[in-house]
Amino acid sequence: MADKPEKPPKRLKDANTLGGRMRRYASTTVSLGGFAAKAAVNRALGREMDMAKSASELRAALGGLKGPVMKVAQLLATVPDLLPPEFAEELATLQSSAPPMGWPFVRRRMAAELGPDWLTRFTRFDQEASAAASLGQVHRAVTKDGAEVACKLQYPDMASAVEADLGQLDLAFAIFRRAEKAIDAEDMKGEIAARLREELDYALEARHIALYRQILADKPEISVPDVIAKLSTQRLLTMGWLEGKRLLDFKGDTQDRRNAIAANMFTAWWLPFVRFGAIHGDPHLGNYTVRDDLGINLLDYGCIRTFSPSFVGGVIGLYRGLLANDRAAQVAAYETWGFKKLSNELIDTLNIWARFIYAPLLDDRVRTIADGVSPAQYGRKEAFEVHSRLKTLGPVKPPREFVFMDRAAIGLGAVFLHLGAELNFYRLFNDAMGDFSEAALAKRQRKVFAAAGVSLPA
Ligand SMILES: Nc1ncnc2c1ncn2[C@@H]1O[C@H](COP(=O)(O)OP(=O)(O)O)[C@@H](O)[C@H]1O
Ligand SMILES: [Mg+2]
């Protein structure tokens, strides 16, 4: 679409829209804080909340919620058993999408990022956003060189909006800390805050895309967009347009085709982890699409978590320890992650969670990820069990790396349940891993991280 002749900028209107959006963030944040306080008080007093009523209150509070606050709420929902299951489920169904910026606003934002003649660098630039993003929106365009691209453009002032949310996150954790006897969530809070702040930095996201292009270079079944550096900045990410369909459109497809999609999703998530110590921490349904040939377009590199070779070594060590029923190897893995005072009961309790997460990978046969479990309930029962045991054994301080690794594992499990996938997950995992050694992983990491300009994980 061509640009329309320039009218005087409607500053007042835009300011009102933005102001309105900010007010809405503020009021939803307050109600979320109030809600957290109420839940914590009830929990501390051992009172039962009226779940149905509270869940609908929560929905009302969050119904109009968009943007970064939404992200915080969704992240809170992934901390196992922090919120009652009804709420966690409610939050998981909400999609984050911010109110769109209008064309005059987009034009000014683009000019601020690429200069006043920005539009001459495209032969087509859709005035209307093709998709919402949590901190901005995506426009479809064609560059002067003829490349079909997606321009992810950030709203102004998102840094302060995210900082305001992080203040709320502090408050919510402070309230829960008083009632919570099982888990010391201090590190988890730090982890969530770090990832949310990183999401503001589209230049870092571009480097993470470069990292994934190398990691998945010999996996044609996974598409990683390319970044158009000369049309990208800290707050504008211009990348190749990837065409695909939503995963849920394939729910009614044949078993073979659903299995093929699931196997490709498995590769996209677990191969980067076991071979390079990197994971996409947000397996949300909006963050990938399915190609016509059932390959995966992997989108959104705003939440990439990288891990040291020794952390990945611990994950593989625990896997092998569970496979061989080798208690000493299991304990060694928990110790590499800094778990202290490991009593037998505590090991048994941690193993409940580990056996749940690893279950399909430990079983050398074709199977579903879990029988008779709904995608939204996946992992909730086990989290509840572990949490109630930890109340007498705890508190434990889970390593911060677990936040997004577990989130990826649970999210991907939910995808496999949606697809009704029947696969030999043991084979897929072992094929992805190859001959694992920490030294080999460290060597691969040094090579690809340097080439992508990403610093090595501590
Ligand atoms: N390279 C791309 N090609 C096509 N569509 C894209 C591309 N990147 C993002 N999108 C669309 O834009 C939406 C938001 O982008 P995303 O990177 O997920 O933003 P956010 O980090 O805010 O979640 C995606 O859900 C998808 O619909
Ligand atoms: Mg996204």
Side-chain angles (χ1 to χ4, degrees), residues 71 96 132-134 152 199 282 284 286-287 299-300:
K71 269 266 151 70
S96 50
S134 49
K152 178 155 102 170
E199 202 172 337
D282 195 1
H284 172 285
N287 288 342
L299 309 173
D300 196 353

Side-chain angles (χ1 to χ4, degrees), residues 162-227:
V162 166
E163 289 310 316
D165 280 0
L166 290 175
Q168 291 302 128
L169 186 66
D170 267 343
L171 183 70
F173 271 88
I175 294 162
F176 276 109
R177 189 152 48 229
R178 267 176 253 146
E180 175 59 61
K181 300 275 178 288
I183 291 173
D184 177 347
E186 195 55 34
D187 285 1
M188 299 167 89
K189 187 185 79 185
E191 174 72 14
I192 291 172
R195 298 285 87 71
L196 273 174
R197 289 201 178 97
E198 279 187 5
E199 202 172 337
L200 288 162
D201 182 357
Y202 287 178
L204 176 67
E205 182 164 350
R207 296 198 294 279
H208 282 147
I209 292 178
L211 183 68
Y212 262 69
R213 282 179 72 82
Q214 293 184 69
I215 289 176
L216 293 167
D218 60 353
K219 295 285 164 198
E221 63 271 38
I222 319 291
S223 300
V224 180
D226 55 335
V227 172

